[in-house]
């Protein structure tokens, strides 16, 4: 579980990247990372000189960075010293909207949502649980376990640059996790659930977030498993939470949303292209590392497009032709932007592509949710 989820800059040499100061417990260290009292040195293995490499920054954006980007937690951020702004940056607010939208889709799919003060209040609490709390927890946790990779790809990020301490990061992880689980328990009581389904959904999602980022499992080391887990966390889990809050979570919806999560896998791959240097150095088998840029680009768009076409076929077969046609109409502009931006250069145009294409994908989610509610 953003972001989510940006300028072409010069490559850095991987043989001698030094970040000071950063204190990291030795038990979490990778064999390729050596620690001393005052410096952290990251050494990457040699790579084929003929391989295509993404261009990564060798220094912070500095005073030219954007304060808006800093708050959102994306590249091009202004270097900040205010601890609360840094905490928000680690939570990556740019990654929250898909989770919030997923709650909306689940509520719509339940068929029981009514526009009244109580239901709107429940929805807002569920969105707070899914977005700021548990997605914020996921993003902070991921940045903590990615601090060595970020030292290569984005050395100016808060943790590798040392602007936030180890204890402050760990405290933030626990506060967000417990806050999200607490809100889930409140929602169960509020909805009158005999079985605390909201709490267990939140607990399960939090566990997936942990094993996605943390050793020994570290699902993100495998491009297929890790990206599917990420896609399910962004599409299935918030939908399930919204539907369980206002109605009943049924097996057919679970299957349908997990199918839709394959599109989420494709979206997750988009973010892997800019991190190839660090992923390769740290032994992470992201799809661009495993298959190369060209093949990974087509795997990415294929996962997004074929999944949505399959869902449209499902809706047509279920006797919902108008919803199926609406979904097809939303797939077309996504394909257009894939050729215009993403397939040309997935590193240079990743933000433009996601900003242009993803609104149509999330509208397709709502169309599917409305179709299943009738």
């Amino acid at each position: 579980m953003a972001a989510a989820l940006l300028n072409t800059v010069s490559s850095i040499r991987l043989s001698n990247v030094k970040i000071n100061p950063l204190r990291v417990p030795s038990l979490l260290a990778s064999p390729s990372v050596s620690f001393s009292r005052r410096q952290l040195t990251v050494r990457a293995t040699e790579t084929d000189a003929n391989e295509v490499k993404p261009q990564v920054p060798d220094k912070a954006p500095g005073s030219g960075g954007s304060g808006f980007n800093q708050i959102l937690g994306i590249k091009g951020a202004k270097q900040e010293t205010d601890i609360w702004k840094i905490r928000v940056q680690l939570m990556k607010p740019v990654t929250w909207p898909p989770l919030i939208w997923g709650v909306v889709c689940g509520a719509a799919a339940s068929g029981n949502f009514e526009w009244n003060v109580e239901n709107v209040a429940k929805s807002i609490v569920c969105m707070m649980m899914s977005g700021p709390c548990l997605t914020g927890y996921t993003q902070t946790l991921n940045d903590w376990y990615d601090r060595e990779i970020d030292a290569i790809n984005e050395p100016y990020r808060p943790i590798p640059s040392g602007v936030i301490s180890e204890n402050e990061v760990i405290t933030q992880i626990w506060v967000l996790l417990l806050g999200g689980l607490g809100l889930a328990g409140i929602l169960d009581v509020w909805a009158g659930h005999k079985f605390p389904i909201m709490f267990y959904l939140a607990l399960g999602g939090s566990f997936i977030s942990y094993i996605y980022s943390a050793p020994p499992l570290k699902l993100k080391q495998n491009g297929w498993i890790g990206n599917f887990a990420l896609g399910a966390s962004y599409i299935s889990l918030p939908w399930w939470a919204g539907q369980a809050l206002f109605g009943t979570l049924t097996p057919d919806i679970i299957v349908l949303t997990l199918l839709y999560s394959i599109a989420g896998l494709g979206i997750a791959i988009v973010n892997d292209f800019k991190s190839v240097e660090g992923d390769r150095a740290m032994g992470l088998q992201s799809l661009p590392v495993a298959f190369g840029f060209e093949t990974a680009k087509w795997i990415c768009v294929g996962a997004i497009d074929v999944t949505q076409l399959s869902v449209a076929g499902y809706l047509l077969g279920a006797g919902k032709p108008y919803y199926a046609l609406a979904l097809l109409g939303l797939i077309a502009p996504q394909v257009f932007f894939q050729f215009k931006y993403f397939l040309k250069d997935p590193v240079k145009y990743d933000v433009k592509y996601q900003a242009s294409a993803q609104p149509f994908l999330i509208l397709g989610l709502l169309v599917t949710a409305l179709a299943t509610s009738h």
Side-chain angles (χ1 to χ4, degrees):
M1 218 140 66
L5 36 46
L6 302 174
N7 299 315
T8 304
V9 289
S10 61
S11 299
I12 62 172
R13 295 181 61 187
L14 296 179
S15 60
N16 188 25
V17 179
K18 298 181 180 180
I19 296 90
N20 184 35
L22 174 64
R23 293 178 297 165
V24 183
S26 60
L27 70 154
L28 295 175
S30 165
S32 61
V33 182
S34 62
F35 297 90
S36 67
R37 184 179 180 86
R38 290 188 172 84
Q39 71 180 22
L40 162 65
T41 304
V42 181
R43 293 185 175 88
T45 56
E46 293 183 0
T47 56
D48 188 343
N50 295 324
E51 291 186 41
V52 179
K53 299 179 181 180
Q55 293 176 306
V56 293
D58 60 355
K59 61 182 180 179
S63 59
S66 165
F68 182 69
N69 287 13
Q70 188 273 328
I71 288 295
L72 290 180
I74 58 178
K75 280 188 176 180
K78 176 184 177 182
Q79 292 301 100
E80 188 56 70
T81 57
D82 186 300
I83 187 61
W84 293 105
K85 289 183 178 180
I86 292 168
R87 288 188 182 282
V88 173
Q89 182 180 2
L90 283 175
M91 293 163 64
K92 292 189 180 71
V94 73
T95 63
W96 302 349
L99 283 293
I100 293 171
W101 188 257
V103 172
V104 172
C105 291
S110 73
N112 297 322
F113 182 85
E114 296 179 358
W115 287 98
N116 57 52
V117 174
E118 183 180 12
N119 282 351
V120 170
K122 285 180 182 177
S123 299
I124 292 173
V125 173
C126 191
M127 291 172 184
M128 290 292 293
M129 174 196 74
S130 301
C133 288
L134 295 182
T135 306
Y137 151 78
T138 298
Q139 295 296 341
T140 307
L141 184 75
N142 188 61
D143 266 25
W144 170 249
Y145 283 106
D146 270 2
R147 61 195 182 277
E148 295 156 10
I149 297 176
D150 286 342
I152 299 171
N153 293 325
E154 302 174 86
Y156 49 80
R157 286 198 56 77
I159 296 175
S161 67
V163 296
I164 186 169
S165 72
E166 170 187 328
N167 288 337
E168 288 170 328
V169 175
I170 293 173
T171 299
Q172 176 163 320
I173 290 170
W174 277 105
V175 168
L176 292 171
L177 172 60
L178 296 176
L181 294 177
L183 289 178
I186 290 171
L187 287 170
D188 276 319
V189 174
W190 198 350
H193 291 156
K194 294 181 179 179
F195 177 80
I197 187 170
M198 301 298 293
F199 177 81
Y200 280 108
L201 285 174
L203 187 64
S206 302
F207 176 71
I208 291 173
S209 297
Y210 179 79
I211 63 174
Y212 172 80
S213 299
L217 293 180
K218 197 159 187 161
L219 300 182
K220 66 186 300 179
Q221 291 182 117
N222 182 291
W224 294 108
I225 298 173
N227 284 331
F228 182 77
L230 193 62
S233 297
Y234 273 79
I235 292 177
S236 298
L237 281 172
W239 181 317
W240 296 351
Q243 184 153 349
L245 182 59
F246 294 103
T248 302
L249 186 57
T250 55
D252 60 321
I253 289 297
I254 292 174
V255 171
L256 179 63
T257 51
L258 286 175
L259 172 62
Y260 231 124
S261 296
I262 298 174
L265 177 151
I267 296 170
I269 297 171
V270 174
N271 296 313
D272 288 339
F273 288 91
K274 62 179 180 288
S275 303
V276 167
E277 288 291 351
D279 289 348
R280 183 183 290 118
M282 302 308 296
L284 301 185
Q285 287 297 304
S286 66
L287 296 188
V289 171
F291 292 96
F293 266 44
E294 286 302 314
T295 302
K297 285 192 299 187
W298 289 101
I299 292 173
C300 176
V301 298
I304 294 171
D305 298 342
V306 172
T307 297
Q308 293 178 93
L309 289 170
S310 300
V311 173
Y314 166 80
L315 294 178
L316 183 64
K320 311 279 180 70
Y322 296 112
Y323 289 102
L325 286 173
L327 184 55
L328 288 173
L330 292 168
I331 296 170
Q334 294 177 61
V335 175
F336 171 78
F337 288 119
Q338 286 164 359
F339 279 93
K340 183 176 181 180
Y341 293 125
F342 182 75
L343 292 172
K344 284 184 178 179
D345 191 329
V347 176
K348 182 178 180 180
Y349 295 119
D350 68 328
V351 176
K352 284 187 177 181
Y353 165 67
Q354 293 190 72
S356 302
Q358 285 196 21
F360 296 100
L361 185 142
I362 64 174
L363 283 174
L365 279 171
L366 183 60
V367 167
T368 305
L370 292 171
T372 59
S373 71
H374 292 81

